[in-house]
Amino acid sequence: MPAPFRIGYGYDVHRLQQGLPLFLGGVLIPSSPHGAIGHSDADVLLHAVCDALLGALALGDIGTHFPDTDLSYKGIDSKILLQKTYELVAHSNYKISNIDCTVLLESPKIMKYADEMRHLISNILNLNMANISIKASTSESMGFVGRQEGVAAHAIALLYRNE
Ligand code: MG
């Protein structure tokens, strides 16, 4: 008998560089002095959500499914990666209950974009916005986030068996 619930956890980090666009939760954060470096658009939040969903189903990780050695993923919009990940969930025996995320970024402040991110993720995952939580924190000037060298995101997802 498959488990009634499955939980998954995702974590991602990308280096920041001046002058690059910053994508978080599928949203381009305007007026950010720096953006994240990556093979795709380097959206740490969407990558963490993908890994949480894949983790819940024990399907490996985002690197397994979308390797950075594959040129077809170069510069790709991470919303497409989340869509592809959702297709794996949709073909499983589970549905998403809720997702909770925390983004770690020293600046700029991003909470005013959280609802737009939730709305975008909600559309891709076919999940009510009320079941998608996005939180943000700085790192109190400590560590790589505090020094503005990088941006990180954590996500957890709870899935329930589709009866
Ligand atoms: Mg990543």
Side-chain angles (χ1 to χ4, degrees):
M1 188 70 163
F5 298 99
R6 298 186 67 124
I7 194 166
Y9 168 73
Y11 171 75
D12 194 30
V13 58
H14 281 261
R15 221 180 254 277
L16 289 171
Q17 183 175 295
Q18 293 286 324
L20 288 181
L22 179 63
F23 291 96
L24 283 173
V27 175
L28 174 63
I29 307 298
S31 75
S32 174
H34 43 215
I37 306 170
H39 185 67
S40 65
D41 65 7
D43 189 324
V44 282
L45 176 52
L46 294 190
H47 293 181
V49 171
C50 286
D51 263 358
L53 294 171
L54 293 170
L57 294 172
L59 287 176
D61 62 24
I62 194 169
T64 318
H65 293 270
F66 316 111
D68 63 7
T69 49
D70 186 335
L71 286 179
S72 66
Y73 297 123
K74 180 137 183 63
I76 197 170
D77 182 337
S78 294
K79 294 194 285 295
I80 295 169
L81 304 183
L82 185 60
Q83 177 67 46
K84 288 173 180 286
T85 301
Y86 175 67
E87 284 161 18
L88 296 171
V89 177
H91 285 101
S92 77
N93 285 330
Y94 289 85
K95 288 191 166 182
I96 304 167
S97 166
N98 68 300
I99 291 174
D100 184 25
C101 315
T102 299
V103 178
L104 294 167
L105 179 69
E106 204 64 22
S107 79
K109 297 281 183 231
I110 55 163
M111 274 312 277
K112 61 182 165 193
Y113 307 106
D115 282 349
E116 193 179 344
M117 297 174 192
R118 292 169 67 220
H119 182 69
L120 275 166
I121 294 169
S122 157
N123 281 338
I124 296 169
L125 299 181
N126 197 20
L127 181 67
N128 195 297
M129 252 178 87
N131 297 321
I132 301 167
S133 156
I134 295 175
K135 312 183 299 298
S137 180
T138 70
S139 193
E140 298 279 334
S141 301
M142 296 178 290
F144 70 85
V145 169
R147 291 188 297 270
Q148 304 193 42
E149 293 168 3
V151 53
H154 301 264
I156 52 171
L158 184 67
L159 275 57
Y160 61 96
R161 196 174 62 216
N162 196 9
E163 299 297 348

